[in-house]
Amino acid sequence: MEVKWDETAPSWQLWKDDNTSVSCRNYKTRFAKGLPRTYLVSFPGSGNTWIRYLLEAASGVFTGSVYTDAEIRNAGYLGEGDRADSGRTLVQKTHGGALTKAHNDLVSRYNFIKADVPVVLIIRDPARALLSYWKFLHGRGKGSHTNQVSEKTYRTAEFRRHVERMVPRWEELVSDRLLWQKAPIYVLYYDLVVKNPVHHVREVLKFLRVPVDEGRLACLGSHLSGTFKRPEKKELDPFTYSEKKLMSLAVMRISRLLRLRGFPVPPPYPSIANISDNYPH
């Protein structure tokens, strides 16, 4: 697919402060014209914004969102808040039904996902995703996307309720797409992207039918962190045995569904590995 550019729209230099490479410094991210709508779907805390950074850096096309986050837009994600059907952005971020209680019956859940729109579905270890989302919720204000929180918050009744409420939503978000999606779907495992970002971004661009610019990918290889990737922090395991069992069973059911649909199964998730080993696959 040939990308047509909106020459009248603003652009952004991702690596303008790079003093080591003039070619990287000169690359820009721009709005396109006439692109098909494609949702970038994930449970909150699954690295959606970082994946957006990788896609923008590799393609040169802004990504969009069904939300409007001023902090994200001010950091150069100029497609933030742009209409999902504007045709100007490569993919459009959404957390689907994970953030709403309004779609409990099956018919409403089916109508909500818009099954006729292509999807890149990001799946992350639910334990890590739930923790990341917890940190976002309790790190409000500037830096909420990357802030850490006190481990004391994990020893609260509120955290226990967070886990109990969100594990089923993690599973529903994935299963609804796998069961009902009519348009093409690409399953992207966050935990594998972290290990080899350039390879997986290249594969997503192929799915999106966007030309691969080897020069941009080379620059991306030396600028992988982006603005909103939360630094890894060694911390105590906050989950109870029962909570890990809940997550491992959800992963097991999703893995079976992925096999039925012909997709690769998720990689091993160390945070719940000892629990899931006790159950048949």
Side-chain angles (χ1 to χ4, degrees):
M1 179 176 65
E2 180 183 356
V3 177
K4 297 179 181 178
W5 302 103
D6 185 345
E7 302 293 350
T8 65
S11 61
W12 184 267
Q13 284 180 268
L14 277 174
W15 306 307
K16 61 184 176 182
D17 297 323
D18 185 345
N19 295 319
T20 63
S21 171
V22 174
S23 59
C24 292
R25 190 165 64 241
N26 288 337
Y27 276 123
K28 293 181 179 181
T29 311
R30 297 182 287 170
F31 285 103
K33 293 193 299 185
L35 292 181
R37 187 169 29 156
T38 303
Y39 286 129
L40 185 66
V41 179
S42 71
F43 181 85
S46 297
N48 197 307
T49 305
W50 180 59
I51 299 295
R52 286 175 65 187
Y53 163 75
L54 297 178
L55 290 174
E56 290 192 6
S59 69
V61 184
F62 284 120
T63 61
S65 174
V66 301
Y67 317 108
T68 303
D69 186 319
E71 185 179 356
I72 290 178
R73 180 174 173 78
N74 292 340
Y77 295 75
L78 302 189
E80 180 74 8
D82 207 56
R83 281 193 353 264
D85 61 353
S86 70
R88 305 200 311 160
T89 54
L90 185 65
V91 293
Q92 299 79 43
K93 168 183 175 177
T94 177
H95 296 311
L99 298 183
T100 178
K101 300 179 182 178
H103 307 283
N104 293 323
D105 65 282
L106 292 179
V107 174
S108 296
R109 280 166 53 186
Y110 172 78
N111 291 332
F112 185 74
I113 70 168
K114 296 181 174 62
D116 58 341
V117 177
V119 158
V120 176
L121 176 63
I122 304 171
I123 302 178
R124 186 182 186 184
D125 173 355
R128 306 311 303 171
L130 263 66
L131 272 183
S132 181
Y133 186 37
W134 176 261
K135 292 173 181 178
F136 172 77
L137 292 173
H138 291 264
R140 288 286 184 185
K142 189 175 172 117
S144 60
H145 291 273
T146 55
N147 284 345
Q148 300 290 344
V149 298
S150 169
E151 292 183 0
K152 293 179 181 178
T153 65
Y154 302 147
R155 299 190 289 272
T156 62
E158 185 184 359
F159 182 75
R160 305 272 78 86
R161 289 192 296 270
H162 172 76
V163 177
E164 182 181 10
R165 185 172 65 253
M166 289 299 164
V167 173
R169 294 193 188 186
W170 177 92
E171 183 177 0
E172 280 186 8
L173 180 135
V174 178
S175 64
D176 286 359
R177 290 288 172 183
L178 294 176
L179 287 169
W180 297 327
Q181 183 74 19
K182 295 178 180 178
I185 180 171
Y186 186 93
V187 175
L188 182 66
Y189 292 116
Y190 172 88
D191 302 81
L192 296 181
V193 177
V194 169
K195 295 178 180 179
N196 194 348
V198 173
H199 165 74
H200 289 284
V201 168
R202 183 194 297 274
E203 294 303 307
V204 176
L205 292 183
K206 289 180 183 177
F207 171 77
L208 297 171
R209 298 183 298 118
V210 173
V212 174
D213 184 326
E214 296 298 338
R216 295 191 75 102
L217 286 179
C219 289
L220 174 60
S222 57
H223 300 84
L224 290 173
S225 61
T227 310
F228 292 105
K229 189 174 186 297
R230 182 178 278 108
E232 292 294 329
K233 176 190 174 186
K234 187 174 178 60
E235 53 192 353
L236 296 176
D237 182 352
F239 299 107
T240 67
Y241 179 89
S242 296
E243 290 166 347
K244 290 182 179 180
K245 180 179 178 181
L246 184 67
M247 288 185 278
S248 69
L249 290 172
V251 170
M252 184 177 67
R253 289 188 291 267
I254 289 299
S255 296
R256 287 174 176 171
L257 188 52
L258 284 159
R259 284 194 191 98
L260 287 172
R261 286 294 314 272
F263 292 107
V265 297
Y269 293 143
S271 52
I272 54 176
N274 294 334
I275 304 295
S276 59
D277 287 347
N278 296 327
Y279 298 93
H281 290 267

